[in-house]
């Protein structure tokens, strides 16, 4: 025993290594492989359940070509094209137009997409078991859904604003159906339109069929905005390539026929809107011409009638060359004025008077009117008869030219309208492929497994960081100030044997005497032999070694029993005492009973114990044997030179028994008859027995378990011994596991023996 506080080495518990050891982190993760495998398997199970829970998703595709401009008008000539102008459309603009309510609303109304049906009896487990659950199908006739008790078919369902996006329940009754929402309840008959008045407005419904056995059906009328948003979330409209003018439409859903039908009607709705939009300009021009043609015809007839009367009255007049030139020029100016007026009338249907094109035409009209005024002034200087002749003939020619031009353009536009097809062309309509695009089960399983493994690795790392276990001998020495005098590797053979209840011998000498574990125990013995204090004068005194630990389960009994056995090989008489009177298990190592041991000896009455006041009483000095009163508590183990004192029956106050002086008498007597006494004591943090027993020890050893003991607990246990003025002489790192995941291992498989 060494209790000189001046020689105590103060542990440098505050010394910390702040460097991050990446290899140590990797090993910490690998050591948690069981946690990683558990979470990986758990993730795989969740992935499998999820892939069965989610309904399969299908997809349909369609292609539309967007032409830069319509070719129907330009094919008839540049003149009529100039009257109408050109229209250009970009694919990106049209892609956004397809997603608008203008295109989607007709489809929503045609297929009753605002009516939502579902089966409330299908739960989470049902979806996992069946893998595929029935969903609604929309047709122009109504909405249907299949259940295990039959089909539900609704052909009409309209509600007031307050009932939108609110769920109702439909059930079959003896006479028809019952519609309820928890507050209102309406009754009706099949295949008959009904209008009900509820607390929040009116409800119109026509039910064609419902499942039997009162199977409920949930029904809801969605708002138009929510319905179009749902369609747009499933609809993808993109231009295929760059500047190709080809738009690809893709739509996903839970039922292939439903997806194909909805996408088909979206394509047709867009094409119809596109065609009507493309012919709108031509239609307006034709309507304008139809209003002008009768007026111009009447004006031409009047001018011809007046001119003919003048000719009948005045006869034929020879107009001079100058008058002819003026007449021709005036006619041309009138034709140009008429053409400009037509263009202006067409432009003003789209633009205001302030538009640059309208202003430009007004300027041209001003120039022509100015020239016409000059010609009129010149003609005014001609003789009266000639002037009147020229005036009447000019009016007739102008009216005829205007009428014929307008009539020609009118007929041409009618031909254009008949052949006008718009600038959108359907390339591919959607078809049903019945190929699921989701869930991709294999990808889900792999991803779920990887995520589970990652979560397990993170938890293993966090556990390793938070639960700072004993691993590095150098770190232990730095934190406790106590040298690690031995590292004992795990014995796989002994570990397997200890799991078998039928195994009788658990000492390394009998189970695994050719192992590095056994060699490590022998190395510990050598360290202790040379580290023991030299013997003084007087009576022979045994070398006492106390073996304890910071907490239960560190393997101190394993170290004590095997260390005692290797001491016997030195031809030294040894005794091992199980001083853990609470939970000692050494008697199982030697296949003995725990009764009649240390606790029983210390619990003797005072009268029985008086004869031990003199340690020589009861001793047979000639034979060197222990007196009969003590010998009845000590047993031979069957191993030469090795005796054993079990813990005895469970006492109520083990610490008090050790402190009442009787243990001192016991050690005084035993010291005379043994060379080595090894005491297996309770853990330091579990009981104070080790501090009492250490008063009789020459060496105090602390056992800790590799990658199991908590580093902080070990440091605290050593500090507790120091506070009691007890020096811990060494730490034994037990159960060191070798391998790639064990960074700190100082043993190699190097043994002598017969390998045959």
């Amino acid at each position: 025993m060494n209790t000189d506080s001046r020689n105590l080495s103060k542990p440098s518990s505050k010394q910390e290594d702040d460097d991050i050891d990446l290899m140590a982190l990797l090993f910490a993760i690998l050591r948690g492989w069981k946690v990683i495998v558990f979470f990986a398997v758990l993730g795989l199970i969740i992935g499998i359940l999820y892939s069965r829970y989610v309904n399969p998703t299908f997809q349909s595709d369609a292609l539309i070509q967007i032409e830069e401009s319509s070719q129907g008008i330009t094919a008839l000539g540049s003149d009529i094209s100039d009257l109408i102008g050109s229209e250009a459309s970009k694919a990106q603009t049209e892609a956004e137009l397809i997603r608008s309510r203008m295109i989607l609303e007709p489809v929503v109304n045609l297929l009753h997409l605002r009516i939502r049906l579902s089966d409330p009896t299908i739960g989470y487990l049902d979806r996992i078991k069946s893998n595929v659950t029935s969903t609604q199908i929309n047709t122009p006739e109504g909405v249907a859904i299949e259940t295990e008790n039959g089909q539900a078919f609704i052909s009409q369902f309209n509600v007031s604003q307050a009932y939108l996006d609110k769920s109702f329940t439909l059930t079959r009754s003896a006479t028809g159906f019952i519609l309820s929402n928890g507050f209102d309840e309406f009754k009706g008959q099949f295949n008959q339109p009904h209008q009900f008045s509820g607390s929040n407005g009116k409800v119109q419904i026509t039910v064609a069929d419902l499942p039997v056995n009162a199977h409920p059906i949930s029904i809801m009328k969605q708002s138009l905005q929510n319905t179009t948003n749902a369609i747009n979330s499933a609809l993808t409209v993109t231009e295929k390539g760059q500047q190709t003018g080809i738009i690809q439409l893709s739509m996903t859903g839970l039922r292939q026929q439903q997806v194909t039908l909805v996408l088909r009607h979206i394509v047709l709705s867009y094409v119809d809107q596109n065609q009507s939009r493309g012919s709108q300009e031509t239609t307006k021009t034709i309507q304008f011409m139809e209003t002008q043609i009768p007026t111009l015809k009447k004006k031409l007839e009047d001018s011809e009638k007046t001119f003919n009367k003048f000719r009948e009255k005045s006869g034929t007049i020879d107009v001079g060359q100058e008058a002819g030139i003026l007449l021709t020029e005036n006619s041309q100016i009138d034709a140009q004025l008429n053409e400009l007026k037509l263009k202006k009338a067409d432009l003003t249907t789209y633009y205001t008077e302030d538009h640059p094109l309208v202003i430009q035409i007004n300027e041209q009209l001003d120039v022509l009117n100015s020239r016409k005024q000059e010609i009129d002034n010149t003609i005014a200087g001609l003789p009266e008869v000639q002037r009147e002749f020229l005036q009447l003939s000019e009016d007739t020619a102008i009216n005829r030219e205007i009428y014929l031009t307008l009539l020609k353009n009118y007929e041409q536009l009618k031909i254009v309208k008949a052949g006008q097809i718009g600038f959108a062309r359907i390339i591919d309509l959607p078809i049903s492929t019945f190929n699921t695009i989701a869930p991709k089960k294999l990808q889900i399983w792999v991803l779920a497994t990887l995520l589970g493994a990652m979560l397990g690795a993170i938890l293993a790392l966090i556990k390793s960081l938070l639960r700072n276990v004993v691993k590095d001998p150098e770190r232990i020495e730095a934190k406790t100030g106590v040298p690690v005098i031995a590292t004992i590797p795990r014995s796989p053979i002994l570990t397997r044997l200890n799991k078998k209840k039928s195994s009788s011998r658990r000492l390394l000498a009998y189970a695994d005497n050719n192992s590095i574990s056994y060699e490590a125990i022998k190395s510990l013995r050598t360290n202790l032999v040379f580290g023991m204090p030299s013997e003084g004068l007087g009576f022979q005194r045994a070398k006492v070694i106390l073996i304890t630990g910071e907490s239960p389960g560190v393997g101190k009994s394993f170290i004590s029993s095997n260390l005692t056995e290797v001491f016997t090989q030195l031809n030294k008489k040894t005794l091992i005492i199980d001083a853990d009177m609470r939970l000692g298990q050494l008697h199982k190592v030697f296949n003995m009973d725990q009764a009649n041991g240390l606790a029983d000896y210390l619990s003797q009455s005072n009268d029985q114990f008086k004869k031990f006041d003199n340690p020589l009483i009861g001793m047979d000095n000639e034979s060197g044997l222990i007196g009969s009163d003590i010998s009845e508590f000590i047993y031979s183990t069957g191993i030469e030179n090795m005796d054993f004192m079990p813990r005895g029956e469970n006492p109520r106050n083990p610490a008090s028994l050790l402190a009442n002086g009787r243990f001192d008498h016991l050690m005084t007597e035993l010291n005379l008859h043994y060379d080595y006494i090894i005491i297996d004591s309770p853990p330091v943090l579990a009981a104070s027995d080790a501090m009492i027993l250490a008063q009789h020890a020459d060496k105090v050893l602390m056992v800790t378990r590799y990658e199991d003991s908590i580093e902080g607990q070990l440091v605290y246990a050593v500090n507790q011994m120091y506070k009691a003025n007890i020096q811990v002489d060494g730490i034994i790192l037990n159960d060191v596991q070798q391998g790639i995941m064990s960074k700190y291992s100082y043993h190699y498989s190097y043994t002598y023996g017969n390998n045959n």
Side-chain angles (χ1 to χ4, degrees):
M1 177 186 69
N2 187 348
T3 59
D4 187 358
S5 62
R6 294 174 298 177
N7 297 327
L8 298 180
S9 300
K10 298 298 181 181
S12 55
S13 59
K14 296 183 179 180
Q15 181 179 349
E16 297 289 344
D17 185 7
D18 296 330
D19 295 335
I20 299 177
D21 194 335
L22 296 180
M23 188 62 68
L25 293 178
L26 176 61
F27 289 148
I29 294 175
L30 294 178
R31 281 190 295 269
W33 66 271
K34 293 182 180 179
V35 177
I36 296 174
V37 170
F38 171 78
F39 278 95
V41 173
L42 180 62
L44 177 60
I45 294 174
I46 294 175
I48 293 174
L49 295 178
Y50 175 78
S51 63
R52 292 186 59 85
Y53 175 80
V54 178
N55 274 340
T57 302
F58 300 89
Q59 178 175 313
S60 287
D61 300 306
L63 290 178
I64 298 176
Q65 181 184 10
I66 305 299
E67 299 176 348
E68 289 300 322
S69 61
S70 176
Q71 301 298 323
I73 298 176
T74 57
L76 295 175
S78 59
D79 294 337
I80 191 65
S81 300
D82 293 338
L83 289 176
I84 296 179
S86 62
E87 178 74 16
S89 175
K90 299 289 181 67
Q92 292 296 331
T93 303
E94 296 303 311
E96 293 300 321
L97 182 62
I98 292 173
R99 305 171 68 93
S100 65
R101 285 195 299 272
M102 180 183 70
I103 303 299
L104 298 181
E105 186 173 1
V107 180
V108 170
N109 295 333
L110 175 65
L111 299 179
H112 310 282
L113 296 179
R114 295 177 63 184
I115 301 176
R116 308 301 301 170
L117 300 181
S118 61
D119 188 351
T121 63
I122 298 178
Y124 298 115
L125 294 179
D126 297 324
R127 295 184 62 172
I128 294 175
K129 291 178 181 178
S130 63
N131 196 15
V132 178
T133 55
S134 179
T135 57
Q136 70 180 49
I137 181 71
N138 295 68
T139 62
E141 292 76 24
V143 186
I145 187 172
E146 293 288 341
T147 69
E148 60 181 4
N149 290 314
Q151 183 190 61
F153 190 87
I154 313 299
S155 56
Q156 179 195 14
F157 185 56
N158 296 312
V159 298
S160 59
Q161 183 70 29
Y163 284 130
L164 288 177
D165 299 316
K166 300 295 192 316
S167 180
F168 289 80
T169 300
L170 272 172
T171 53
R172 178 187 283 269
S173 65
T175 58
F177 66 88
I178 299 175
L179 176 68
S180 64
N181 64 349
F183 301 98
D184 303 313
E185 184 173 289
F186 314 109
K187 297 181 179 180
Q189 288 76 41
F190 290 122
N191 298 313
Q192 294 183 13
H194 293 278
Q195 179 170 320
F196 306 108
S197 295
S199 57
N200 292 327
K202 295 184 178 181
V203 177
Q204 294 178 340
I205 189 171
T206 303
V207 180
D209 195 10
L210 285 175
V212 297
N213 299 328
H215 191 107
I217 294 295
S218 295
I219 182 172
M220 180 176 63
K221 182 77 171 185
Q222 277 189 332
S223 63
L224 178 61
Q225 184 65 44
N226 289 341
T227 305
T228 54
N229 288 343
I231 294 176
N232 279 322
S233 65
L235 178 65
T236 303
V237 185
T238 57
E239 184 176 7
K240 199 169 185 179
Q242 293 184 352
Q243 303 298 324
T244 60
I246 296 179
I247 296 178
Q248 181 176 21
L249 294 85
S250 299
M251 192 170 187
T252 59
L254 302 180
R255 185 185 285 267
Q256 180 69 80
Q257 302 96 320
Q258 174 89 351
V259 174
T260 303
L261 182 64
V262 173
L263 185 59
R264 179 185 181 89
H265 282 284
I266 290 175
V267 172
L268 296 178
S269 175
Y270 167 71
V271 172
D272 290 342
Q273 291 283 350
N274 178 268
Q275 186 170 355
S276 63
R277 181 167 50 128
S279 62
Q280 183 178 10
E281 183 178 354
T282 304
T283 302
K284 287 185 177 181
T285 304
I286 290 176
Q287 291 175 352
F288 173 74
M289 289 182 174
E290 288 175 347
T291 61
Q292 295 298 315
I293 286 176
T295 303
L296 293 176
K297 184 178 180 181
K298 181 67 170 56
K299 189 175 182 180
L300 174 61
E301 291 174 350
D302 292 342
S303 62
E304 288 178 342
K305 184 178 180 181
T306 303
F307 181 62
N308 290 333
K309 286 183 179 181
F310 177 78
R311 292 180 64 186
E312 291 175 357
K313 180 180 177 181
S314 304
T316 303
I317 300 176
D318 184 18
V319 182
Q321 184 177 4
E322 181 180 359
I325 294 173
L326 292 175
L327 180 62
T328 301
E329 184 179 358
N330 204 13
S331 298
Q332 294 175 351
I333 291 174
D334 287 333
Q336 294 177 8
L337 288 172
N338 179 57
E339 184 177 357
L340 289 174
K341 288 179 180 179
L342 286 175
K343 286 187 177 182
K344 180 180 178 181
D346 181 60
L347 289 174
T348 52
T349 60
Y350 299 99
Y351 311 113
T352 63
E353 291 290 334
D354 296 330
H355 195 273
L357 293 177
V358 178
I359 294 175
Q360 183 180 2
I361 291 177
N362 289 334
E363 292 176 351
Q364 294 177 4
L365 290 173
D366 293 338
V367 172
L368 292 175
N369 286 326
S370 176
R371 177 56 183 164
K372 179 177 176 63
Q373 186 62 40
E374 293 178 1
I375 294 174
D376 290 342
N377 293 336
T378 303
I379 294 176
L382 297 176
E384 182 66 25
V385 176
Q386 289 180 335
R387 184 170 64 249
E388 187 175 356
F389 177 83
L390 291 174
Q391 184 69 41
L392 293 175
S393 63
E394 177 186 0
D395 291 341
T396 302
I398 291 173
N399 291 334
R400 183 180 292 109
E401 182 68 21
I402 294 173
Y403 175 72
L404 292 176
T405 300
L406 188 62
L407 188 62
K408 175 184 176 182
N409 291 339
Y410 174 71
E411 295 298 330
Q412 287 180 330
L413 284 177
K414 288 173 64 177
I415 296 173
V416 170
K417 183 180 179 181
Q420 203 163 28
I421 59 175
F423 54 82
R425 180 165 65 108
I426 299 176
I427 299 177
D428 289 329
L429 279 173
I431 59 174
S432 297
T433 61
F434 296 97
N435 294 326
T436 59
I437 63 170
K440 297 181 179 180
K441 295 186 177 181
L442 182 59
Q443 293 185 7
I444 292 175
W445 298 347
V446 173
L447 183 60
T449 304
L450 291 177
L451 290 177
M454 290 176 59
L455 178 60
I458 293 173
L459 292 178
L461 182 59
I462 293 175
K463 178 183 177 182
S464 177
L465 294 176
L466 295 180
R467 189 175 180 268
N468 200 4
V469 295
V470 171
K471 292 180 292 187
D472 184 4
E474 296 176 357
R475 182 180 176 89
I476 296 173
E477 292 177 352
K479 282 185 167 292
T480 62
V482 179
V484 176
I485 62 173
T487 57
I488 311 299
R490 172 180 291 186
S491 172
I493 296 177
L494 191 60
T495 302
R496 289 194 300 268
L497 290 176
N498 287 336
K499 294 179 180 179
K500 299 179 181 179
K501 295 182 179 180
S502 60
S503 177
S504 58
R505 289 285 186 178
R506 291 189 174 91
L507 291 175
L508 287 171
Y510 297 93
D512 196 10
N513 61 4
N514 202 32
S515 65
I516 56 177
S517 303
Y518 196 43
E519 293 299 324
I521 295 291
K522 293 179 181 179
S523 298
L524 174 61
R525 176 196 64 187
T526 303
N527 188 307
L528 293 174
V529 168
F530 288 104
M532 286 290 182
S534 59
E535 297 184 12
L537 299 176
F539 293 103
Q540 176 188 359
R541 183 176 177 277
K543 307 298 187 298
V544 181
I545 302 171
L546 176 72
I547 297 179
T548 185
E550 85 281 354
S551 61
V554 296
K556 57 183 181 59
S557 297
F558 166 78
I559 299 295
S560 301
S561 58
N562 284 281
L563 182 61
T564 305
E565 189 274 328
V566 295
F567 267 116
T568 63
Q569 298 176 15
L570 301 178
N571 198 24
K572 300 292 184 179
K573 190 166 182 61
T574 60
L575 172 68
I576 180 171
I577 301 175
D578 190 353
D580 188 353
M581 291 179 281
R582 296 173 179 83
L583 300 172
Q585 299 294 320
L586 273 175
H587 59 279
K588 295 182 179 180
V589 176
F590 302 107
N591 294 323
M592 297 181 183
D593 193 280
Q594 72 181 54
N596 203 26
L598 177 63
D600 302 288
Y601 172 79
L602 298 179
S603 300
Q604 294 180 104
S605 65
N606 291 330
D607 293 336
Q608 292 176 309
F609 200 75
K610 283 182 180 179
K611 58 183 174 181
F612 291 102
D613 288 342
N614 185 341
L616 297 181
I617 296 178
M619 300 296 297
D620 186 352
N621 293 326
E622 294 182 359
S623 62
L625 299 176
I626 303 175
S628 59
D629 294 285
I630 298 178
S631 62
E632 63 180 276
F633 301 102
I634 297 177
Y635 304 90
S636 174
T637 61
I639 300 174
E640 187 178 358
N641 295 324
M642 183 175 177
D643 292 338
F644 170 58
M645 176 179 280
R647 66 183 175 96
E649 295 296 337
N650 297 330
R652 293 185 301 173
N653 52 349
S656 299
L657 290 178
L658 292 173
N660 64 8
R662 297 179 182 179
F663 187 76
D664 297 337
H665 289 282
L666 174 64
M667 291 304 298
T668 301
E669 182 172 352
L670 294 178
N671 278 334
L672 300 176
H673 297 278
Y674 290 97
D675 297 306
Y676 291 96
I677 299 174
I678 297 176
I679 303 174
D680 183 5
S681 76
V684 174
L685 300 182
S688 61
D689 300 13
M691 299 178 186
I692 300 174
L693 294 169
Q695 307 297 324
H696 303 275
D698 298 293
K699 289 286 185 179
V700 177
L701 305 181
M702 184 81 68
V703 180
T704 187
R705 185 177 289 274
Y706 179 77
E707 287 189 352
D708 184 75
S709 297
I710 306 300
E711 192 176 80
Q713 291 183 356
L714 177 61
V715 174
Y716 184 75
V718 172
N719 288 337
Q720 290 297 103
M721 298 292 280
Y722 277 117
K723 291 178 181 178
N725 288 331
I726 298 170
Q727 176 179 335
V728 178
D729 298 291
I731 294 176
I732 302 174
L733 187 56
N734 186 33
D735 200 32
V736 176
Q737 302 175 45
Q738 298 184 69
I740 189 173
M741 290 183 294
S742 297
K743 179 181 178 183
Y744 303 105
S745 180
Y746 302 98
H747 292 275
Y748 301 89
S749 181
Y750 184 79
T751 58
Y752 294 96
N754 186 7
N755 296 327
N756 294 330

